[in-house]
Amino acid sequence: MFPEIDHILLSREQIAARVRDLGERIAKDINNDRLADADAEVVIIPILTGALVLTADLIRELPLRLSLRVVAVSSYPGASISSKGAKIRGELPQNLAGKHVLIIDDILDSGQTIGLVKELIAEQRPASLRTCVLLRKPETCRMRHVDVEYVGFDIPNEFVVGYGLDYDGFYRNYPQIATLKPEAIAAASRATKPGSSQ
Ligand code: IMP
Ligand code: MG
């Protein structure tokens, strides 16, 4: 069904175990924050589309009263560094003041996406603001420094798919994290087309 898959970096079991760990840590940290104000709401904000699979699994590891609000971001690869960037599509979740917010994304690469979403949400003065990513590429990939509290796995600078991550819109349903065969990835630089959904 997935003949273009080359090698598997992270198995279903490794991912599931790590997501359980992350859920435990996140729930503990948010509960700690809420000691001061038990009524403070918890809002989970997945960045569409790549964060969908992680979010579905992670929220079921969070025994908290929480709500979900999504944010969609388009990426603009750009010809030069200054023209590269991310842009919010549609509406950013509002009224986050005093709430405990957790942003979820599939991968931290250049940092543009999470950097932008964090910056805009921080302006609303949430009670706490944290970020969780399944994967993080090396610091050398970063165009923008971003602090991320919860990281599933640090991976090498390789293009990966599966568990929500796509190549040209496909493979999001592949249940593990894997690389694609070179012939399939020849056009990898086109994977994030201007304005494409992440
Ligand atoms: P950033 O803004 O460069 O940090 O990139 C974040 C977005 O780029 C992610 O949400 C993904 O959609 C995409 N991306 C970065 N690296 C990969 C990869 O290896 N595979 C699939 N998508 C990726
Ligand atoms: Mg993508």
Side-chain angles (χ1 to χ4, degrees):
M1 191 185 166
F2 295 100
E4 303 90 350
I5 293 295
D6 191 355
H7 66 274
I8 293 166
L9 256 69
L10 298 165
S11 69
R12 263 178 198 260
E13 294 73 23
Q14 282 174 293
I15 298 169
R18 189 70 180 130
V19 170
R20 275 196 298 274
D21 281 357
L22 289 172
E24 209 173 294
R25 277 179 50 206
I26 292 168
K28 204 167 128 201
D29 292 348
I30 293 180
N31 272 329
N32 240 348
D33 282 349
R34 290 169 77 231
L35 291 177
D37 176 8
D39 292 333
E41 279 180 42
V42 179
V43 181
I44 309 291
I45 304 184
I47 301 178
L48 296 178
T49 306
L52 281 181
V53 179
L54 171 61
T55 302
D57 285 345
L58 185 63
I59 59 173
R60 286 177 290 174
E61 300 294 335
L62 298 176
L64 300 169
R65 185 179 151 88
L66 59 81
S67 64
L68 265 185
R69 315 249 199 105
V70 297
V71 61
V73 177
S74 300
S75 58
Y76 291 84
S80 67
I81 285 193
S82 60
S83 66
K84 283 188 185 184
K87 199 177 165 203
I88 302 288
R89 275 196 305 159
E91 274 195 35
L92 187 79
Q94 296 296 317
N95 303 318
L96 298 170
K99 298 178 181 168
H100 295 289
V101 175
L102 177 74
I103 299 167
I104 303 181
D105 204 0
D106 50 1
I107 188 165
L108 176 65
D109 184 16
S110 75
Q112 299 272 31
T113 305
I114 296 173
L116 174 71
V117 173
K118 265 189 91 167
E119 176 188 315
L120 295 175
I121 289 177
E123 286 173 5
Q124 298 185 38
R125 306 252 164 246
S128 70
L129 179 56
R130 296 185 173 89
T131 307
C132 175
V133 292
L134 180 74
L135 306 174
R136 178 170 63 186
K137 285 191 180 173
E139 191 74 39
T140 48
C141 296
R142 227 78 75 229
M143 285 165 57
R144 177 170 180 170
H145 175 82
V146 187
D147 288 318
V148 169
E149 288 73 18
Y150 310 100
V151 177
F153 302 92
D154 278 297
I155 60 162
N157 185 18
E158 284 186 277
F159 192 83
V160 292
V161 295
Y163 200 79
L165 290 113
D166 73 303
Y167 169 65
D168 220 3
F170 296 101
Y171 307 104
R172 294 195 197 274
N173 59 322
Y174 185 72
Q176 326 196 68
I177 295 292
T179 60
L180 289 172
K181 288 183 182 152
E183 52 272 29
I185 211 170
S189 57
R190 298 202 304 267
T192 40
K193 299 187 190 90
S196 69
S197 155
Q198 313 216 342

